[in-house]
């Protein structure tokens, strides 16, 4: 597959993107430097490293190193993955325009111009990461994610590990995960999702006969997957622009600060507040998350 170039917006916040992919300090599936991002992922069953050079933050030069022959579908998946991990799916401008005169978000959006949602390389990665991160702190979630990659992923010839796909994850046993500090419930949910996707019983592709709404409903029917996991998966996996993260503790904490109140709003009130920003609730969440860790 020939290298391809993606043009980056003028206000592109490269440091945000690199920081997102630098979270695992052991760098088993991602390697990040000041002007380069390497990401390992299984695409169409083939170990692939997406090698993205980011000279001067103006363009992203993407090279796909595959340990095997990629099908046409695999090549398309590689392009889609590059767009996702660079945060190029959701244009932040419509939200900025929407809140230009808003009392709650206007000043925040101005301070964080160009903020984007960085996504996972694949939908399966986004959903499993959402399950892994349920009700635990970020550091522990990252350690579980690392264990999952090393258990179910495959190592690329370069040495970088590739994030698992559903068939590789479905081969794991419960003991494979619980022996690496996964709770039994969390391990069962990951394996249940992998099995359903592998069998074709649960389709993750958006199509005329499989809308986002239908995918959401089907995910909610999976034991162990609730509204927060679905919305987070839609955000990180599909780049869906109107996800409501009202159940997210960090979102509620950021809203508390923004509102200047002594307590976090409850889930119901948070949902009502976020509803005012539909169909841009994903970007509202992004700005709230970012407000907890402002730039220097």
């Amino acid at each position: 597959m020939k290298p391809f170039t993606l043009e980056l917006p003028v206000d592109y916040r490269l440091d945000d993107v690199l920081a997102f992919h630098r979270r695992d300090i052991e760098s088993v599936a991602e390697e990040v430097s000041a002007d380069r991002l390497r990401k390992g992922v299984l695409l169409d069953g083939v170990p692939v490293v997406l090698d993205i050079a980011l000279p001067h933050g103006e363009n992203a030069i993407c090279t796909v190193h595959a340990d095997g022959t990629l099908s046409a579908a695999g090549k398309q998946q590689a392009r889609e993955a590059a767009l996702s991990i660079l945060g190029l799916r959701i244009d932040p401008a419509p939200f900025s325009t929407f809140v230009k005169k808003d009392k709650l978000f206007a000043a925040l959006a101005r301070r964080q111009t160009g903020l984007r949602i960085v996504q996972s390389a694949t939908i399966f990665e986004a959903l499993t990461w959402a399950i892994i991160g349920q009700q635990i702190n970020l550091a522990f979630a990252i350690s579980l994610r690392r264990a999952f990659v090393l258990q179910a992923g495959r190592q690329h010839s370069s040495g970088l590990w590739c994030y698992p796909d559903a068939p590789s994850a479905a081969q794991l046993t419960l003991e494979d995960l619980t022996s690496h500090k996964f709770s039994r419930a969390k391990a069962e949910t990951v394996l249940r999702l992998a099995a359903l996707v592998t069998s074709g019983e649960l389709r993750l592709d958006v199509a005329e006969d499989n809308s986002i709404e239908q995918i959401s409903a089907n995910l909610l029917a999976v034991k162990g997957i609730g509204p927060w996991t679905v919305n987070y998966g839609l955000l990180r996996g599909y780049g869906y622009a109107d996800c409501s993260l009202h159940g997210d503790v960090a979102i509620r904490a950021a809203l508390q600060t923004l509102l200047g109140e002594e307590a976090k709003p409850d889930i119901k009130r948070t949902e009502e507040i976020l509803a005012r920003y539909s169909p841009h609730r994903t970007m509202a969440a992004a700005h709230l998350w970012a407000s907890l860790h402002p730039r220097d």
Side-chain angles (χ1 to χ4, degrees):
M1 181 175 178
K2 294 181 179 179
F4 57 95
T5 299
L6 298 173
E7 184 177 353
L8 301 178
V10 174
D11 59 356
Y12 190 70
R13 295 164 53 118
L14 177 59
D15 289 346
D16 291 357
V17 175
L18 297 181
F20 180 86
H21 295 293
R22 197 184 281 123
R23 292 174 303 170
D24 184 353
I25 60 174
E26 294 189 20
S27 302
V28 297
E30 299 89 12
E31 288 183 357
V32 182
S33 65
D35 59 1
R36 190 181 185 193
L37 167 61
R38 299 177 71 241
K39 164 76 178 181
V41 62
L42 283 173
L43 296 178
D44 208 21
V46 177
V48 169
V49 166
L50 297 173
D51 191 337
I52 304 177
L54 299 153
H56 314 299
E58 296 175 357
N59 292 298
I61 303 168
C62 310
T63 304
V64 180
H65 301 288
D67 283 354
T69 301
L70 278 179
S71 64
K75 291 177 181 178
Q76 183 60 33
Q77 288 172 26
R79 289 181 176 274
E80 297 294 326
L83 288 170
S84 294
I85 65 178
L86 290 172
L88 296 176
R89 292 201 175 278
I90 299 178
D91 182 357
F95 176 76
S96 296
T97 300
F98 190 80
V99 300
K100 191 172 183 178
K101 297 181 179 180
D102 184 75
K103 292 181 179 179
L104 194 60
F105 274 93
L108 183 61
R110 284 195 298 271
R111 289 198 302 271
Q112 300 179 154
T113 300
L115 184 70
R116 289 177 171 271
I117 285 287
V118 182
Q119 293 177 248
S120 301
T122 67
I123 294 167
F124 184 73
E125 178 180 355
L127 289 169
T128 49
W129 171 236
I131 294 166
I132 288 169
Q134 289 172 348
Q135 299 180 328
I136 57 177
N137 64 50
L138 181 60
F140 187 34
I142 289 171
S143 71
L144 292 185
R145 177 185 185 272
R146 185 186 310 131
F148 179 59
V149 171
L150 295 176
Q151 286 288 302
R154 287 166 61 186
Q155 195 168 23
H156 187 266
S157 57
S158 66
L160 203 62
W161 280 83
C162 296
Y163 198 92
D165 56 9
S168 61
Q171 295 178 24
L172 295 179
T173 66
L174 198 61
E175 174 66 19
D176 289 331
L177 295 178
T178 56
S179 64
H180 286 82
K181 299 185 179 180
F182 274 72
S183 68
R184 184 179 183 88
K186 199 179 293 285
E188 287 177 342
T189 304
V190 168
L191 297 181
R192 187 177 297 117
L193 173 71
L196 289 170
V197 174
T198 300
S199 69
E201 187 175 344
L202 178 63
R203 286 176 53 197
L204 298 181
D205 61 307
V206 178
E208 288 186 5
D209 62 343
N210 199 41
S211 66
I212 282 286
E213 292 75 19
Q214 188 169 346
I215 291 168
S216 298
N218 291 339
L219 285 169
L220 276 174
V222 177
K223 184 180 178 181
I225 294 180
W228 180 88
T229 303
V230 171
N231 276 284
Y232 193 85
L234 293 182
L235 181 150
R236 295 289 185 203
Y238 292 88
Y240 185 57
D242 200 29
C243 299
S244 182
L245 275 295
H246 51 276
D248 190 276
V249 174
I251 292 292
R252 292 168 57 213
L255 265 179
Q256 176 189 349
T257 300
L258 203 59
L259 292 165
E261 298 181 350
E262 294 184 359
K264 291 192 291 287
D266 62 22
I267 291 177
K268 183 177 186 298
R269 184 172 171 225
T270 301
E271 184 176 15
E272 291 170 350
I273 292 171
L274 293 178
R276 303 172 196 165
Y277 301 96
S278 181
H280 307 290
R281 286 178 291 178
T282 294
M283 285 308 306
H287 279 277
L288 289 169
W289 279 324
S291 72
L292 296 172
H293 307 283
R295 285 178 165 184
D296 296 332

